[in-house]
Amino acid sequence: MILISGEALIDLIPDPVKANAYDAVLGGSPYNVAIGLARLGSQTAFVSRISADGNGEALAAALAASGVDLSFVARDMRPTTLAFVMRGTAKTGSRYSFYLDGTAYDGPWPFPKEWPKAAQHLHVGSFSAVERHGEAVVEAMRLASSRATVSFDPNIRPFVTPDRESVARLVERQVSLARIVKASEEDLEWLYPARSIADTLAAWAKSGPRFCVATLGERGALAILGKDNVEIAAPLVEVVDTVGAGDSFMSALLSAMDRDHSLGAEAPAPSRSELERWLRFAAAASAITCTRKGSDPPTRPEVETLLGR
């Protein structure tokens, strides 16, 4: 089982035709990762707080419909968290403003007190990991690190995490506890505006992870594995919406590793060829998501069709 920890919320996406109108879409970066993993065939459980209101019921139902285990979800009578989405480009991605206070998100994070025996991997990320629940996430990563592999995606949201210096320090602590780190080009440019993407990945890789990946939008991805730089191109597609593209990349990366038995405390470090294969699979999943409105991650047959398998 793979545990995914983070927020579940409603994305309010501007209607492309009607002025001042929004489409309500189920979302939240870790929520999207959980659904993406389950659709790709990995046994997945979600660790989060979800409202008991109508939106929360829809969020929980979609997780269950995709096959995600809800045993570690805390239900809350307060309303569902909202995110207003500002459309981006294939290069920049979408931007978000959040309504968090007084919602189901605003409470103790429901990490299990004892590490579940069936769980071989923990993934954490987004503002639940680097904002008010950051210290709880650090402790969970420490608990998991001797029993499982751990991955981290900071998924920086500047409207929620405006203090760059303190966020960078917390992110670096979490990077040091992870074996797999993925960040977007935009994340890295916000965290370290005076440093190149490659230099940041190299610095992070020296602190503990087996490899670090930066997604570069339409230019593909760059990873640092030991002394090797691994670069892959993104498939060419007609972009409809970039919402959830990075989440699909993360879920597909973990799914590819899971399929190759490369998750878990005893899993060996990957070879360059293995990592390149995983990144190509992840980039294909991300590209498919970009051809759809909202976060709608693909199934494994869809990804394999795009890859020509």
Side-chain angles (χ1 to χ4, degrees):
M1 179 182 288
I2 299 172
L3 301 186
I4 308 296
S5 170
E7 66 275 1
L9 47 78
I10 298 296
D11 283 326
L12 296 173
I13 301 175
D15 189 290
V17 177
K18 298 178 182 179
N20 301 316
Y22 293 85
D23 292 328
V25 177
L26 308 179
S29 175
Y31 176 88
N32 296 336
V33 172
I35 286 182
L37 261 170
R39 286 187 184 179
L40 291 168
S42 291
Q43 186 180 359
T44 308
F46 193 45
V47 181
S48 187
R49 303 184 62 84
I50 295 181
S51 174
D53 66 8
N55 286 325
E57 291 299 328
L59 287 162
L63 287 166
S66 292
V68 178
D69 187 327
L70 303 182
S71 301
F72 305 107
V73 170
R75 303 304 297 269
D76 194 301
M77 296 306 297
R78 290 174 295 179
T80 297
T81 302
L82 300 178
F84 282 85
V85 182
M86 292 156 279
R87 291 184 183 278
T89 66
K91 180 179 180 181
T92 65
S94 300
R95 289 172 169 78
Y96 303 79
S97 58
F98 298 92
Y99 289 80
L100 306 177
D101 293 341
T103 70
Y105 165 82
D106 195 12
W109 211 244
F111 283 116
K113 293 181 180 179
E114 295 185 5
W115 184 251
K117 291 182 180 180
Q120 63 175 353
H121 185 82
L122 171 66
H123 173 72
V124 298
S126 199
F127 61 78
S128 59
V130 298
E131 200 241 348
R132 67 193 69 178
H133 298 301
E135 292 303 322
V137 169
V138 167
E139 289 306 311
M141 293 174 79
R142 285 177 176 154
L143 175 65
S145 60
S146 63
R147 302 168 176 84
T149 42
V150 178
S151 56
F152 173 55
D153 175 4
N155 203 21
I156 297 296
R157 303 303 191 201
F159 290 127
V160 183
T161 55
D163 185 350
R164 180 182 284 107
E165 185 175 336
S166 63
V167 169
R169 286 197 300 268
L170 178 58
V171 164
E172 287 163 6
R173 287 174 63 194
Q174 293 167 327
V175 165
S176 70
L177 293 168
R179 291 200 190 178
I180 303 146
V181 178
K182 173 259 173 191
S184 70
E185 182 177 24
E186 195 173 15
D187 293 336
L188 299 175
E189 288 175 346
W190 186 87
L191 284 166
Y192 309 104
R195 193 161 69 182
S196 73
I197 303 300
D199 285 347
T200 295
L201 293 182
W204 280 2
K206 291 177 182 177
S207 70
R210 286 182 171 172
F211 65 87
C212 297
V213 184
T215 53
L216 307 175
E218 59 191 358
R219 305 195 320 278
L222 167 68
I224 302 293
L225 174 67
K227 296 181 179 180
D228 290 337
N229 287 11
V230 181
E231 298 182 65
I232 58 100
L236 294 176
V237 296
E238 184 175 344
V239 175
V240 171
D241 192 343
T242 60
V243 172
D247 305 329
S248 287
F249 187 101
M250 188 75 242
S251 61
L253 174 61
L254 293 177
S255 178
M257 296 181 69
D258 183 31
R259 199 171 179 85
D260 282 354
H261 307 289
S262 294
L263 297 178
E266 305 302 319
S271 66
R272 180 190 176 99
S273 62
E274 285 176 323
L275 178 55
E276 185 172 349
R277 184 174 69 253
W278 300 338
L279 294 176
R280 292 191 185 283
F281 185 84
S286 180
I288 292 170
T289 302
C290 287
T291 67
R292 302 168 173 175
K293 185 177 180 179
S295 179
D296 184 9
T299 62
R300 181 169 294 277
E302 289 177 304
V303 179
E304 291 179 342
T305 296
L306 182 60
L307 291 170
R309 296 178 183 173

